[in-house]
């Protein structure tokens, strides 16, 4: 017989929350003809300040596919396929780095910027609905707890 444990309740609640958030993200991104992962790539390439795992020190430098793969925790072949689709849709382009032309960085095209900008009001509306009953202090506390959990997961890879 299993005992009721708050750790298990929290994990199951986080899984359920993640599933619901994924469904909402899927609907939002699919309305623009892209997948959720492709949207996340656009956010990374757009250097969205709300993504905690972007190196903000080099904001002028294009992002490499390998950095995206690591940030999104996907394989190199998977990120290559995702980027190819975004390039076919003319949302992303590759540019040679100044120091090493063989290395190709990724940047948003004007069309990619437009897609992100068109998603932003919908993103803000969905986020405000999600957090409507939370104070700013509760949001900060929740974020701090999530960051602690992420650090714990990273430490035990």
């Amino acid at each position: 017989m299993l005992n009721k444990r708050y750790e298990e309740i929290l994990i199951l609640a986080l899984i359920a929350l993640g599933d619901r958030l994924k469904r909402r993200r899927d609907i939002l991104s699919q309305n623009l003809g892209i997948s959720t992962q492709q949207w996340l790539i656009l956010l990374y390439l757009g250097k969205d300040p709300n993504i905690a795992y972007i190196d903000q020190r080099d904001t002028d430098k294009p992002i490499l596919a390998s950095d995206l793969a690591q940030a999104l925790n996907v394989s190199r072949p998977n990120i290559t396929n995702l980027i190819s689709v975004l390039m076919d849709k003319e949302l992303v382009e590759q540019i040679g780095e100044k120091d090493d032309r063989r290395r190709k960085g990724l940047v948003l095209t004007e069309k990619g910027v437009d897609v992100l900008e068109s998603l932003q009001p919908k993103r803000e509306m969905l986020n405000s609905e999600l957090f409507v009953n939370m104070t700013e202090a509760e949001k900060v506390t929740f974020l701090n707890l999530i960051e602690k959990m992420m650090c714990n997961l990273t430490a035990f890879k």
Side-chain angles (χ1 to χ4, degrees), residues 11-106:
I11 294 296
L12 293 172
L14 287 171
I15 290 169
L17 176 63
D19 288 345
R20 289 182 186 181
L21 288 172
K22 184 180 179 326
R23 276 196 297 273
R24 288 175 76 146
R25 283 190 334 248
D26 288 347
I27 291 167
L28 186 62
S29 60
Q30 286 170 0
N31 285 335
L32 289 170
I34 59 175
S35 71
T36 299
Q37 282 187 316
Q38 291 165 350
W39 179 25
L40 290 172
I41 290 170
L42 295 180
L43 289 173
Y44 273 93
L45 295 180
K47 309 223 171 129
D48 187 303
N50 300 298
I51 295 178
Y53 305 104
I54 288 183
D55 186 354
Q56 294 293 337
R57 292 171 292 182
D58 246 340
T59 54
D60 292 337
K61 209 171 174 193
I63 296 175
L64 300 174
S66 56
D67 295 335
L68 283 173
Q70 183 178 6
L72 296 172
N73 198 28
V74 298
S75 68
R76 180 62 194 228
N78 190 2
I79 202 73
T80 299
N81 291 336
L82 290 164
I83 290 167
S84 292
V85 170
L86 290 171
M87 288 176 66
D88 290 345
K89 293 178 186 225
E90 299 177 349
L91 301 174
V92 170
E93 64 183 344
Q94 288 183 330
I95 58 172
E97 285 193 357
K98 292 175 187 164
D99 301 339
D100 183 354
R101 294 275 181 213
R102 292 170 297 168
R103 287 174 53 112
K104 302 283 186 196
L106 298 162

Side-chain angles (χ1 to χ4, degrees), residues 1-17 149:
M1 171 80 99
L2 295 176
N3 294 326
K4 189 172 184 176
R5 296 181 51 217
Y6 285 109
E7 292 87 355
E8 293 295 329
I9 294 168
L10 284 167
I11 294 296
L12 293 172
L14 287 171
I15 290 169
L17 176 63
M149 293 172 78

